[in-house]
Amino acid sequence: MSIAVANRYSRALADVVAKTGDYRTVLQELADFAAAYRSSPELREVCDTPALPLGGKLAVIEALTKRLGSSHVTLNFLRVLASHYRMALIEHVVESFRNIANERLGVVQVKISTAADLSKEEQELLRSRFSELTRKQTEIEFHLDHDLVGGIVAQIGSTVYDGSIRGRLERIRERLMQQ
């Protein structure tokens, strides 16, 4: 339920941002605020405590967004979240807004897990290969997975491309079991 609510807020924000097309800036500002919210128990308490008057909450949010250098659009959006007691959804809102912004900008997020660190050349090769594959601009997150013996596992949305040794061995085992 909370993800559905976060999606509605994110779509509304994306519709406002569409006028300027400045999705990246607003996304970064939201992510910065979410990081502050996540790391500060005091800020979470101010935003989530119903006993504190809304004016006090908004004053704290305005001071923080001013310090972070956030735009007026981001400040207004955070005011709406606070006034509707939805600030606890900020992490979901950021993730949802990221997905909507990427979709509207024609960007695909790829999560790649490897057993060892990749060189810059290998990362660029994977970046260009996935750009070819998806025919879109790609944003790639590289992660180390010590459970992998070798190879890579890539995820685009809900699709997983398993090029790991473990995955290959599993596919061989399945074929042998079928015979």
Side-chain angles (χ1 to χ4, degrees):
M1 168 97 157
S2 63
I3 293 175
V5 173
N7 287 340
R8 276 187 241 129
Y9 280 94
S10 298
R11 277 193 303 275
L13 176 60
D15 290 344
V16 170
V17 175
K19 296 172 186 169
T20 63
D22 204 8
Y23 294 102
R24 292 283 171 231
T25 301
V26 172
L27 177 60
Q28 187 59 54
E29 292 170 356
L30 282 177
D32 291 345
F33 183 86
Y37 182 83
R38 185 181 331 109
S39 66
S40 172
E42 296 86 6
L43 178 60
R44 285 194 307 273
E45 187 166 338
V46 164
C47 291
D48 298 341
T49 302
L52 186 66
L54 182 60
K57 292 178 185 190
L58 295 178
V60 170
I61 291 169
E62 288 174 24
L64 179 57
T65 55
K66 184 177 181 181
R67 180 174 285 172
L68 292 172
S70 298
S71 66
H72 189 66
V73 170
T74 303
L75 172 59
N76 281 343
F77 179 73
L78 292 171
R79 284 177 181 153
V80 169
L81 283 182
S83 65
H84 290 105
Y85 304 100
R86 302 289 191 194
M87 196 57 75
L89 298 176
I90 189 70
E91 296 290 342
H92 294 298
V93 169
V94 170
E95 187 60 33
S96 177
F97 185 75
R98 176 178 286 115
N99 293 338
I100 293 167
N102 284 342
E103 181 181 314
R104 291 185 181 186
L105 293 171
V107 174
V108 174
Q109 276 192 290
V110 182
K111 295 177 183 174
I112 295 181
S113 299
T114 59
D117 285 327
L118 298 175
S119 67
K120 293 289 183 197
E121 295 81 24
E122 291 169 325
Q123 289 179 4
E124 283 305 315
L125 179 64
L126 284 171
R127 188 171 278 112
S128 66
R129 183 65 185 123
F130 278 104
S131 290
E132 278 178 30
L133 178 69
T134 61
R135 295 186 181 153
K136 294 183 177 182
Q137 180 184 349
T138 57
E139 285 185 0
I140 299 184
E141 294 177 30
F142 292 97
H143 302 277
L144 282 180
D145 184 350
H146 298 290
D147 291 336
L148 293 177
V149 176
I152 69 166
V153 176
Q155 181 178 352
I156 302 173
S158 62
T159 305
V160 176
Y161 299 94
D162 189 349
S164 68
I165 292 174
R166 179 179 58 203
R168 289 180 186 171
L169 290 173
E170 183 63 31
R171 289 188 292 277
I172 290 170
R173 185 180 72 76
E174 287 175 8
R175 277 191 248 139
L176 290 173
M177 297 295 281
Q178 290 175 354
Q179 296 177 353

